[in-house]
Amino acid sequence: MTISPATEAAERQLSLSTAAARNLATTTKSVPQMQEISSRWLLRTLPWVQVPGGAYRVNRRLTYTVGDGRVEFVNTGSDIRVIPAELTELPVLRGLDDPDTLAALAGRFTQLEFEPGQVIVEFGHAADQVYLIAHGRAVRQGVGEYGDPTVLGVLAGGDHFGDWSLVDDAGIWEHTVKATTQLTVLALPRAAFEQVLDSSTPLREHVDRLVAAVGPEINRHGEAAIDMAAGHVGEALLPSTFVDYELAPRELELSVAQTVLRVHSRVADLYNEPMNQVEQQLRLTVEALRERQEYELVNNPEFGLLANADLRQRIHTHSGAPTPDDLDELLSRRRNSKAFFAHPQAIVAFLRECTKRGIYPDNVEVDGKRQLAWRGVPLYPCGKIPISKNRTTSILVMRTGEEDQGVIGLRPGPLPDEYQPGLNVRFMGINEQAVMSYLVSAYYSAAILVPDALGVLDDVQLGVEHG
């Protein structure tokens, strides 16, 4: 009879095999792991204010709307048209409520194309039409103290300029506007505007009110001014004043992210050593809720930072990629900035631009660790900031805290069955299948106390994705 090699090896075995021994050994194991967990710097950086009543009211000084909104368009192929109702975003037309007039004005815009480097309007020339930027980027240029060209700002899709030329026939361009990319604009000459003006009574009445009105004195932020005297001598008559408030301040209600965690009682009873199964299930569920909480704080249309940033605090990159100049401009528009937030790929793009210029960002100490920073302001990664299909994203900078009139996080006061601040776990019972249920809820929101507390750098180009 022939003996197989496997049988022969088994007969020669003198000790327990490792495969068999592992069945009786106690292994060293990790707790359950989860790829979704991120650093969540936004949640860690925001100062959190307790909101026992479930809503937070942002009281501000009275502010007068100046019509700095962006205009939206529709297109059919390469033919681009302005949406008539969007024309009320122009300060000259703000408050005009006549669809027929707006449609007549929208139909008289002409589409123009400009090449990179081409001048759209030039300083000193007569201003006789309004321009709406539909696509591309341009720069506003002025003259510096010593006659050198100076960039005054960047214009991109949705921006507009020259609207006051429609009602001021003696105006000139106070700056030069030059295309930096392929640029598509819609232009409305004053002559076309006057044709509609002659045939539209609502528009005529609106313009007459606009020209005749003497608006309230306001400061450069659009707030009602506080009268005062300074530099006087003797017994001068002092002005009297009061600080006016908004009559209908915004109220932010706490949002909620919830889920029902289910654990079979047999698992909880028999498989709790060496790790408590309910605790591990709950830990991973809470991590997922916190990730969703940070996503909502960035992207929620009602209270998210990206959607609620003031339009006057949104700027565009000068060249597409995020440069040190772009981040410097963000910082220059607000005091006491506390943090930048950018997608990790945007941080890589910024470092790439720094390397090109031979610049090396510094580091600051945060919670005992070194953190990348620019001009002493920490630059935190935030993967919740979206990247568009054409590989563009945004970079945020903010001032934080109630005392500093910054950005704050909102959460409720102490909750029943609180597990973590702003998050509770409530036992819902056991069903007929012996499955235990736990309701896990996280309550949160965010508030921007004054508009310049948050700035956004839009249209940040990340470059070509490799691989």
Side-chain angles (χ1 to χ4, degrees):
M1 181 179 67
T2 302
I3 301 176
S4 67
T7 303
E8 184 177 359
E11 291 178 351
R12 289 199 305 267
Q13 185 175 334
L14 301 177
S15 64
L16 183 68
S17 70
T18 56
R22 286 181 62 188
N23 292 330
L24 301 181
T26 300
T27 61
T28 302
K29 59 183 71 67
S30 73
V31 297
Q33 305 297 301
M34 181 176 177
Q35 276 195 143
E36 187 181 7
I37 299 175
S38 66
S39 55
R40 297 201 293 267
W41 277 109
L42 181 59
L43 296 189
R44 295 160 60 182
T45 304
L46 281 181
W48 290 91
V49 175
Q50 289 191 356
V51 185
Y56 186 89
R57 179 178 297 162
V58 182
N59 287 312
R60 294 175 177 170
R61 279 176 61 184
L62 180 62
T63 301
Y64 295 93
T65 304
V66 294
D68 275 344
R70 290 179 178 164
V71 182
E72 295 184 5
F73 307 86
V74 293
N75 69 290
T76 304
S78 59
D79 180 31
I80 300 176
R81 291 165 293 143
V82 63
I83 300 173
E86 290 292 309
L87 292 176
T88 58
E89 294 296 335
L90 303 179
V92 166
L93 299 177
R94 179 165 291 274
L96 176 62
D97 186 17
D98 185 66
D100 293 337
T101 299
L102 294 173
L105 289 172
R108 282 170 168 75
F109 278 85
T110 57
Q111 183 173 331
L112 304 175
E113 305 288 338
F114 293 90
E115 298 294 327
Q118 190 172 354
V119 173
I120 304 170
V121 301
E122 191 168 359
F123 169 76
H125 289 204
D128 58 357
Q129 53 189 330
V130 59
Y131 292 92
L132 313 178
I133 296 182
H135 179 70
R137 182 183 287 107
V139 294
R140 292 191 297 114
Q141 294 181 335
V143 179
E145 183 178 357
Y146 300 101
D148 298 326
T150 301
V151 176
L152 302 176
V154 179
L155 301 170
D159 288 332
H160 51 81
F161 60 95
D163 56 285
W164 281 103
S165 67
L166 300 178
V167 294
D168 182 8
D169 57 5
I172 63 170
W173 294 114
E174 298 180 351
H175 49 257
T176 296
V177 179
K178 182 184 294 185
T180 56
T181 66
Q182 190 73 31
L183 190 69
T184 301
V185 302
L186 299 184
L188 177 67
R190 185 190 302 130
F193 177 81
E194 290 176 348
Q195 290 175 2
V196 179
L197 187 65
D198 292 338
S199 60
S200 172
T201 301
L203 180 59
R204 169 60 66 184
E205 293 175 350
H206 175 82
V207 171
D208 290 343
R209 286 195 303 269
L210 183 70
V211 174
V214 179
E217 186 178 353
I218 60 175
N219 62 21
R220 63 188 180 92
H221 303 290
E223 297 171 330
I226 299 176
D227 294 329
M228 63 185 68
H232 55 279
V233 294
E235 299 178 351
L237 183 64
L238 299 180
S240 60
T241 189
F242 66 96
V243 181
D244 207 355
Y245 300 142
E246 289 184 351
L247 296 179
R250 184 179 181 187
E251 288 192 1
L252 295 160
E253 294 186 359
L254 293 181
S255 184
V256 62
Q258 292 179 304
T259 188
V260 176
L261 172 64
R262 292 176 176 170
V263 181
H264 200 286
S265 59
R266 182 171 62 249
V267 171
D269 291 342
L270 303 180
Y271 300 98
N272 265 351
E273 294 294 340
M275 300 175 190
N276 186 298
Q277 291 285 356
V278 175
E279 287 184 1
Q280 294 303 320
Q281 288 282 301
L282 182 58
R283 179 180 66 84
L284 296 179
T285 301
V286 169
E287 293 284 0
L289 280 175
R290 290 304 194 195
E291 292 291 330
R292 183 54 184 262
Q293 176 180 348
E294 187 173 64
Y295 175 87
E296 293 291 321
L297 289 176
V298 173
N299 298 288
N300 189 283
E302 295 297 325
F303 58 84
L305 300 180
L306 278 178
N308 288 273
D310 190 272
L311 291 174
R312 290 166 292 181
Q313 300 299 326
R314 305 187 80 109
I315 63 174
H316 302 276
T317 58
H318 287 80
S319 59
T323 65
D325 292 338
D326 295 322
L327 267 61
D328 282 344
E329 186 171 354
L330 272 180
L331 291 176
S332 71
R333 288 171 171 256
R334 61 202 37 80
R335 58 181 171 82
N336 202 19
S337 297
K338 293 295 186 182
F340 286 103
F341 292 94
H343 194 281
Q345 294 186 40
I347 295 178
V348 171
F350 172 67
L351 294 177
R352 190 162 52 238
E353 294 300 313
C354 289
T355 301
K356 290 180 182 179
R357 293 160 172 77
I359 299 173
Y360 301 94
D362 52 354
N363 291 279
V364 296
E365 187 171 312
V366 179
D367 297 333
K369 298 180 181 179
R370 304 299 292 173
Q371 179 66 37
L372 181 69
W374 179 251
R375 307 293 190 194
V377 179
L379 179 56
Y380 296 116
C382 180
K384 311 303 189 302
I385 300 176
I387 297 176
S388 68
K389 293 181 180 178
N390 59 356
R391 302 279 298 155
T392 62
T393 184
S394 300
I395 295 177
L396 284 68
V397 66
M398 66 181 69
R399 182 176 66 247
T400 58
E402 272 190 312
E403 293 184 357
D404 218 5
Q405 300 181 102
V407 180
I408 58 173
L410 306 176
R411 66 186 180 199
L415 293 168
D417 303 316
E418 189 168 71
Y419 183 79
Q420 292 177 358
L423 184 147
N424 65 351
V425 180
R426 312 197 75 172
F427 180 61
M428 298 174 64
I430 304 176
N431 67 11
E432 295 179 352
Q433 286 79 35
V435 175
M436 300 183 295
S437 297
Y438 298 86
L439 175 64
V440 189
S441 306
Y443 300 93
Y444 52 85
S445 188
I448 304 168
L449 297 185
V450 295
D452 76 343
L454 175 67
V456 180
L457 179 65
D458 280 326
D459 297 329
V460 174
Q461 295 181 2
L462 302 178
V464 179
E465 186 174 16
H466 299 286

